[in-house]
Amino acid sequence: MTTILITGANRGIGLEFVKQYAADGAEVIACCREPAKADELKAVKGKVRAMALDVGDPASVEALKKELGDRPIDILINNAGIGGPHPVTPGTLDMEAWLNVFRVNSVAPFLMALRFKANLKAGQKKKLVTITSVLGSIAESGGGNQPYRASKSAVNSLMHGAAKDWAKDGILVGIFHPGWVQTDMGGSGAPVKVEDSVKGLRARIAELNAASSGSYRDYSNRAIPW
Ligand SMILES: NC(=O)c1ccc[n+]([C@@H]2O[C@H](COP(=O)([O-])OP(=O)(O)OC[C@H]3O[C@@H](n4cnc5c(N)ncnc54)[C@H](OP(=O)(O)O)[C@@H]3O)[C@@H](O)[C@H]2O)c1
């Protein structure tokens, strides 16, 4: 049976991943900050275990690792993410808020990858997936939203490096943009339904192989220039 760990699993894209993978019969380790309050997550049928994880808190990552021990993980999906702060002007630049975006969007996915690398190596599929954004593309940048954009460029760089560094361990790395999706982050006016985004992302994850590891693609398989 495939075991999948998902961060930010209580709402949005993360919750939809849980629903679709659970419906397929996978065993899902669904991580979120407050499992006790995650009613929608707890209502998902199947082999779903809600577990506490604040990705921005190394002690929380450590506690999860302690609880899971050496248990094999086939697919680790770094999905949790935050937007803002914006606008960024000289009078409004909030250093702590900016650093928090990097903490959650850039450093945390890499910390998760490092901490659960042995679990991934012990799994059958060995897939490390990060949900990034097209806004992390420097080549396609239209400016604005600087902290979020830069945090996603940074995680792209870290995951591209992991694909190179961990190829010898058989670990495959996916760096995927979900589209502009109807979630709390994307807003109700976004063009892509969360079900369609996750369907596409799951197809990208399923076809991830040694040749495509480390590439930057969207949910519909468009290759995004760095
Ligand atoms: N929606 C889009 O259009 C879009 C486009 C490009 C990329 N993305 C990326 O897709 C991913 C999912 O986005 P979404 O649209 O589903 O956003 P969302 O609806 O705002 O959900 C974000 C999720 O991340 C979790 N989270 C935030 N900070 C966390 C932390 N410190 N520890 C653990 N979980 C944390 C949230 O948990 P809480 O409920 O506890 O806050 C929530 O489950 C993000 O990485 C985002 O950057 C989204």
Side-chain angles (χ1 to χ4, degrees):
M1 180 182 298
T2 304
T3 300
I4 303 168
L5 189 154
I6 303 167
T7 69
N10 57 311
R11 59 188 170 98
I13 293 168
L15 178 63
E16 184 62 25
F17 265 127
V18 177
K19 289 179 182 171
Q20 292 193 19
Y21 277 124
D24 268 4
E27 187 158 20
V28 184
I29 302 167
C31 301
C32 60
R33 286 195 273 204
E34 296 188 277
K37 294 183 185 167
D39 294 335
E40 270 197 89
L41 172 60
K42 286 190 289 186
V44 178
K45 301 259 181 297
K47 297 183 190 68
V48 178
R49 184 174 172 200
M51 298 189 75
L53 175 68
D54 180 336
V55 297
D57 176 3
S60 178
V61 175
E62 240 12 80
L64 180 72
K65 172 65 187 172
K66 201 171 169 194
E67 200 152 341
L68 293 177
D70 297 330
R71 182 176 171 175
I73 294 171
D74 292 296
I75 306 173
L76 165 57
I77 304 179
N78 279 312
N79 163 77
I82 56 175
H86 52 84
V88 179
T89 61
T92 62
L93 195 151
D94 178 339
M95 179 72 89
E96 288 313 312
W98 187 306
L99 291 177
N100 195 45
V101 176
F102 273 79
R103 172 187 286 266
V104 174
N105 291 359
S106 319
V107 183
F110 197 65
L111 175 64
M112 285 293 293
L114 285 173
R115 208 59 196 95
F116 291 96
K117 183 183 174 197
N119 304 69
L120 275 173
K121 272 185 78 174
Q124 295 288 316
K125 299 189 188 293
K126 300 180 178 43
K127 293 184 177 179
L128 166 62
V129 173
T130 295
I131 306 304
T132 182
S133 169
V134 70
L135 296 187
S137 168
I138 294 170
E140 293 192 350
S141 174
N145 213 350
Q146 295 91 338
Y148 181 78
R149 253 179 211 291
S151 74
K152 292 297 192 180
S153 301
V155 79
N156 288 352
S157 171
L158 288 164
M159 292 300 160
H160 182 264
K164 303 280 177 203
D165 292 341
W166 297 350
K168 62 182 181 307
D169 300 302
I171 294 178
L172 304 171
V173 179
I175 306 166
F176 300 132
H177 166 58
W180 179 15
V181 189
Q182 291 166 12
T183 62
D184 292 339
M185 183 183 285
S188 56
V192 182
K193 289 191 177 130
V194 69
E195 296 84 358
D196 296 334
S197 169
V198 170
K199 196 172 162 211
L201 290 168
R202 288 177 60 230
R204 304 291 73 76
I205 293 169
E207 70 197 13
L208 181 61
N209 59 31
S212 64
S213 181
S215 66
Y216 180 24
R217 296 188 169 269
D218 81 357
Y219 76 112
S220 71
N221 209 22
R222 181 176 81 92
I224 305 174
W226 299 102

